[in-house]
Amino acid sequence: SQWLERRLTLNANAFYVDWSDQQVSVNFGLNNFDVHTVNAGRSHIYGFEVELAHRLTQSVDWYASVGHVRTQFDDFDVVVGSFDDLSGREFAYAPEWTLGAGVNLRWRHGIAANVNANYRSEVFTDVSTRQDQYRVGSRTVVNARVGREGDHWGVHLIANNLFDEEYVQYDAIGMGMSVL
């Protein structure tokens, strides 16, 4: 929807997905590289997203978003050396919360800047009977960009992870492997 003479945009959605035969990567336990793709019998996912964008002036606009999701395998049996029932586990890499916000600034002669931040709540990095061992923490990252823009071109200096936030993206248990 658009408001305030089309300067304010508000969008939202809610969703529910009932899934059957979802393809999932599962570690079969011989080592961290013994991963197979199998079908989960049934699973579901539900949540919502809301985004807001507001053009304050010709030179300044800002935006923000929030997302919430819940995931669960409802019927997921695998044979990993022995029979394992993975029902009730969450999807890998599915954060419960995501947040984002930023501001764009524009000056004369095409000079422009952006500062933005995004947050992701903790996630599981694996689907297994020991899923709680494969949890990585939440993280917030701030980025910035400044440069010059033309009608069909732009040159920018970009700084990702401006405050050098250290976070684990992936953790392989037993291998001491983390990606920051």
Side-chain angles (χ1 to χ4, degrees):
S1 61
Q2 293 187 319
W3 308 77
L4 303 175
E5 298 174 355
R6 302 181 75 156
R7 291 179 304 143
L8 178 68
T9 301
L10 173 65
N11 294 317
N13 73 68
F15 54 90
Y16 179 88
V17 178
D18 188 13
W19 210 337
S20 60
D21 294 327
Q22 175 185 356
Q23 293 191 328
V24 181
S25 295
V26 176
N27 184 301
F28 274 46
L30 293 177
N31 59 48
N32 283 330
F33 303 104
D34 186 19
V35 176
H36 300 266
T37 301
V38 298
N39 287 343
R42 297 189 61 79
S43 59
H44 70 273
I45 180 173
Y46 64 90
F48 67 86
E49 299 169 313
V50 178
E51 66 178 9
L52 184 65
H54 186 203
R55 184 172 40 90
L56 295 172
T57 68
Q58 200 68 6
S59 301
V60 179
D61 66 81
W62 66 272
Y63 53 91
S65 63
V66 61
H68 176 70
V69 68
R70 297 298 303 194
T71 65
Q72 182 176 310
F73 293 106
D74 300 317
D75 178 20
F76 192 9
D77 298 326
V78 295
V79 177
V80 182
S82 63
F83 174 80
D84 283 323
D85 181 3
L86 300 179
S87 302
R89 302 295 190 275
E90 294 182 34
F91 297 3
Y93 296 103
E96 188 173 342
W97 290 99
T98 56
L99 305 166
V103 62
N104 292 303
L105 306 167
R106 289 170 218 79
W107 293 277
R108 295 179 188 213
H109 309 295
I111 304 298
N114 169 274
V115 176
N116 64 77
N118 62 76
Y119 166 83
R120 182 210 67 209
S121 63
E122 63 184 19
V123 297
F124 293 109
T125 61
D126 190 50
V127 177
S128 70
T129 55
R130 307 168 311 202
Q131 191 172 44
D132 59 332
Q133 293 179 13
Y134 293 92
R135 181 189 318 259
V136 296
S138 63
R139 59 107 177 114
T140 301
V141 177
V142 177
N143 307 300
R145 179 185 77 219
V146 64
R148 186 151 191 275
E149 299 175 347
D151 289 337
H152 302 287
W153 60 273
V155 176
H156 298 96
L157 176 62
I158 299 171
N160 289 326
N161 197 1
L162 194 61
F163 298 114
D164 199 24
E165 172 77 13
E166 290 191 17
Y167 60 92
V168 176
Q169 181 67 20
Y170 174 80
D171 193 6
I173 302 299
M175 301 264 310
M177 179 190 311
S178 296
V179 177
L180 299 176

